[in-house]
Amino acid sequence: MDITAQMVSKLREQTGAGMMECKRALVECEGDFEKAIDLLRVRGKAGAEKRAGRAAAEGVVAACVENGVAAMVELNSETDFVARNPEFRQTAEIAAAIACTNGIEDVESLRNASVPESLGAHAGRQLSELLDDLTSRMRENIVLRRCAVLRSGTGEMVSAYVHTVTNKIAVLVLLRGDSSNPDQASLARNIAMHIAASKPLYVRREEVPADVLDHERQVLSEKTRTEGKPEAAIPKIVEGRLGKFYEQVCLVDQPYVREPSQRVGSLLKAAGLDVVAFRMFVVGQE
């Protein structure tokens, strides 16, 4: 099949490999994207993680934490110009507040929910009305794409972080801890910030699906084999190299962004905290 410039660019974006390396990999794999990514990894030209697929969308994320509930939404527009509009961002914040107040995770249910009295001027109106009005005034397709909610139980706490420079990354995190403890509450938010920066996929090693781990072992085995290592030594070498993979995808194994000499897991343990779950939205990503 023909290998187009768009295919090469997409592979380069997802792997960080050079343009010619990407083109050669696509040619050898007859245009199969997943096989080309694995081939680049075997050759040491790509990282262990794949970047999430990006949708053709602009927009913002917003988050809200109240009464032991944390919620976040992604609101999309056609252009970044509209995404930077203060009214657009305010609407996203209203949507997050409604999701938080009502614990709503379903987009259609959230659209049909009413603005609470605590939010003032728009109180009593359905969110769908605000979105339709915004669409009419901005003359762009405005889409409430997704929402997420984390609820804390007894002995748990929630926190959230939004990267306010861009308003395009948001994280919710649920931890076992004491929300009345200011040190723990501060660290909880810092952990949410770390997740936004380091983008783990799982909390701990036990959560990595067996098929993902098997695939990683296969890629590392082939890479080790191409390096000329003895066949009998490959399994042991691969298990050692899996540690680097875990550092990339598991939160508790990652070096803490504010103090790279310390692992997130060790930091949490010393503070009496334990991460139960997290969610992350990045605008435009699958």
Side-chain angles (χ1 to χ4, degrees):
M1 67 176 294
D2 291 335
I3 305 302
T4 66
Q6 289 83 359
M7 293 169 65
V8 174
S9 295
K10 182 179 177 182
L11 183 59
R12 183 177 187 275
E13 179 182 333
Q14 290 197 13
T15 63
M19 294 292 282
M20 293 308 297
E21 291 286 349
C22 290
K23 184 174 181 178
R24 280 194 288 269
L26 284 167
V27 169
E28 290 183 41
C29 297
E30 299 180 340
D32 188 308
F33 226 75
E34 296 301 316
K35 289 182 179 178
I37 290 173
D38 287 345
L39 180 59
L40 288 170
R41 292 194 53 215
V42 166
R43 292 175 175 172
K45 303 297 183 181
E49 76 285 356
K50 302 172 188 176
R51 294 184 187 177
R54 294 179 179 172
E58 295 294 341
V60 298
V61 290
C64 178
V65 178
E66 189 174 334
N67 298 324
V69 179
M72 64 181 175
V73 302
E74 178 181 348
L75 186 63
N76 289 151
S77 60
E78 294 180 36
T79 65
D80 189 53
F81 175 78
V82 166
R84 293 196 303 269
N85 182 284
E87 188 178 357
F88 181 87
R89 293 189 174 188
Q90 182 186 47
T91 303
E93 290 168 359
I94 290 172
I98 296 172
C100 187
T101 300
N102 298 281
I104 299 174
E105 295 186 79
D106 175 70
V107 168
E108 195 56 35
S109 297
L110 182 56
R111 282 180 53 85
N112 293 329
S114 298
V115 179
E117 294 291 335
S118 59
L119 294 184
H122 298 294
R125 298 184 68 192
Q126 284 191 335
L127 178 61
S128 59
E129 294 180 53
L130 302 188
L131 295 173
D132 290 345
D133 287 351
L134 196 61
T135 297
S136 178
R137 286 196 300 278
M138 300 297 176
R139 297 184 179 181
E140 282 196 9
N141 186 27
I142 307 297
V143 178
L144 181 62
R145 185 175 178 223
R146 52 182 171 170
C147 55
V149 174
L150 288 179
R151 303 171 182 81
S152 61
T154 303
E156 295 179 336
M157 60 193 297
V158 287
S159 191
Y161 170 76
V162 175
H163 184 52
T164 54
V165 175
T166 63
N167 290 95
K168 293 184 183 297
I169 303 175
V171 172
L172 307 181
V173 61
L174 172 65
L175 310 95
R176 293 187 185 90
D178 181 6
S179 59
S180 66
N181 183 319
D183 291 335
Q184 288 193 350
S186 177
L187 180 56
R189 186 177 185 280
N190 286 342
I191 292 300
M193 189 185 303
H194 167 95
I195 292 169
S198 297
K199 298 178 176 59
L201 301 177
Y202 315 99
V203 175
R204 50 187 59 84
R205 299 184 181 194
E206 293 77 14
E207 296 176 9
V208 181
D211 59 331
V212 172
L213 204 52
D214 288 344
H215 179 264
E216 187 63 24
R217 284 195 175 97
Q218 291 173 8
V219 172
L220 291 176
S221 293
E222 189 58 32
K223 181 177 181 179
T224 305
R225 192 170 287 112
T226 61
E227 293 171 352
K229 299 293 192 295
E231 192 68 27
I234 289 178
K236 186 175 181 180
I237 295 173
V238 166
E239 290 305 311
R241 288 181 170 178
L242 275 175
K244 187 65 176 177
F245 169 73
Y246 287 130
E247 284 183 19
Q248 293 172 327
V249 302
C250 296
L251 173 62
V252 297
D253 284 288
Q254 291 183 328
Y256 181 46
V257 290
R258 291 192 164 198
E259 193 176 337
S261 63
Q262 192 169 15
R263 302 285 177 185
V264 170
S266 300
L267 182 70
L268 289 167
K269 186 176 181 180
L273 288 171
D274 184 33
V275 174
V276 177
F278 69 85
R279 295 290 302 277
M280 178 173 63
F281 283 175
V282 179
V283 170
Q285 289 191 352
E286 300 296 338

